[in-house]
């Protein structure tokens, strides 16, 4: 039930970020008007305004506008990815941290990110460790396109979970043996 709710949250975060990415791409297309394309190809002329020379209202060239659009799309993708980890990871995940690049428009765009996650076993409680590792794995694989590092964390969670299952089986076997000894 908890994992299903966490997956719902991750899907919701991903859907919101997909809308932002689509809007950024649409804005990129809207920014390139036919008049700007022809003016840019003919080069600047005396008496032309910035938009007639192929620059936008912010004074950015077409190449710079393309770079800003790419940075906006990357920013949305990075934020969506890291928010998915944080949303599904719940109490075991930290807040996302980002690496930024300043675009030609002077704005900072997230180009990388990370979310710390506690993948350590719960001391002396294999059942709790099993539940925790299920959440850790789900958080690691929550983004639409998990990275190699994400897959490595999921693999670690699987290994920790397998160990906890073995530990739990041992504890239960000892408990059964003790209960049997007390009957005799």
């Amino acid at each position: 039930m908890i994992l299903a709710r966490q997956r719902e949250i991750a899907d919701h975060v991903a859907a919101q970020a997909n809308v932002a990415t689509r809007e950024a791409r649409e804005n990129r297309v809207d920014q390139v008007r036919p008049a700007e394309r022809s003016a840019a190809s003919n080069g600047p002329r005396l008496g032309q305004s910035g938009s007639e020379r192929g620059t936008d209202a912010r004074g950015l060239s077409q190449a710079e506008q393309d770079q800003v659009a790419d940075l906006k799309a990357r920013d949305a993708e990075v934020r969506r990815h890291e928010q998915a980890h944080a949303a599904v990871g719940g109490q075991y995940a930290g807040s996302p941290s980002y690496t930024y690049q300043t675009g030609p428009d002077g704005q900072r765009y997230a180009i990388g990110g990370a979310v710390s996650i506690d993948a350590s076993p719960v001391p002396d409680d294999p059942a709790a460790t099993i539940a925790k590792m299920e959440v850790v794995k789900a958080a690691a694989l929550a983004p639409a396109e998990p990275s190699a590092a994400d897959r490595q964390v999921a693999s670690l969670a699987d290994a920790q979970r397998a160990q906890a299952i073995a530990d739990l089986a041992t504890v239960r076997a000892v408990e059964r043996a003790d209960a049997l000894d007390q009957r005799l």
Side-chain angles (χ1 to χ4, degrees):
M1 179 67 180
I2 292 174
L3 290 178
R5 178 67 181 136
Q6 289 170 332
R7 179 55 72 183
E8 262 181 51
I9 292 168
D11 290 344
H12 178 71
V13 169
Q16 287 178 327
N18 282 335
V19 169
T21 301
R22 191 174 333 109
E23 288 173 354
R25 287 186 182 131
E26 288 170 359
N27 287 340
R28 177 181 176 184
V29 171
D30 292 343
Q31 290 174 353
V32 183
R33 294 184 294 279
E36 290 177 343
R37 280 191 212 118
S38 63
S41 63
N42 294 333
R45 293 187 208 139
L46 286 177
Q48 285 182 320
S49 69
S51 64
E52 292 170 333
R53 287 194 312 263
T55 59
D56 67 357
R58 299 170 294 183
L60 299 177
S61 69
Q62 186 58 49
E64 291 170 327
Q65 291 173 46
D66 290 346
Q67 183 182 6
V68 166
D70 290 343
L71 285 169
K72 283 182 180 180
R74 176 67 181 153
D75 181 272
E77 178 185 335
V78 166
R79 290 178 190 279
R80 175 179 59 246
H81 184 100
E82 302 309 333
Q83 285 294 340
H85 287 310
V88 175
Q91 68 184 14
Y92 305 119
S95 297
S97 62
Y98 300 103
T99 303
Y100 295 95
Q101 177 179 335
T102 302
D105 59 351
Q107 299 297 313
R108 289 176 9 132
Y109 297 95
I111 58 167
V115 172
S116 63
I117 190 150
D118 178 5
S120 63
V122 178
D124 302 321
D125 193 344
T129 297
I130 293 167
K132 180 179 178 181
M133 292 306 119
E134 288 172 354
V135 172
V136 169
K137 180 179 179 178
L141 300 177
E145 296 180 25
S147 67
D150 297 340
R151 287 189 213 358
Q152 190 173 22
V153 170
S155 178
L156 171 67
D158 277 340
Q160 297 275 39
R161 184 176 180 276
Q163 181 61 52
I165 289 170
D167 292 347
L168 185 59
T170 301
V171 166
R172 289 186 176 157
V174 168
E175 288 172 352
R176 282 192 301 270
D178 288 346
L180 192 62
D181 287 344
Q182 287 178 356
R183 289 184 193 163
L184 297 175

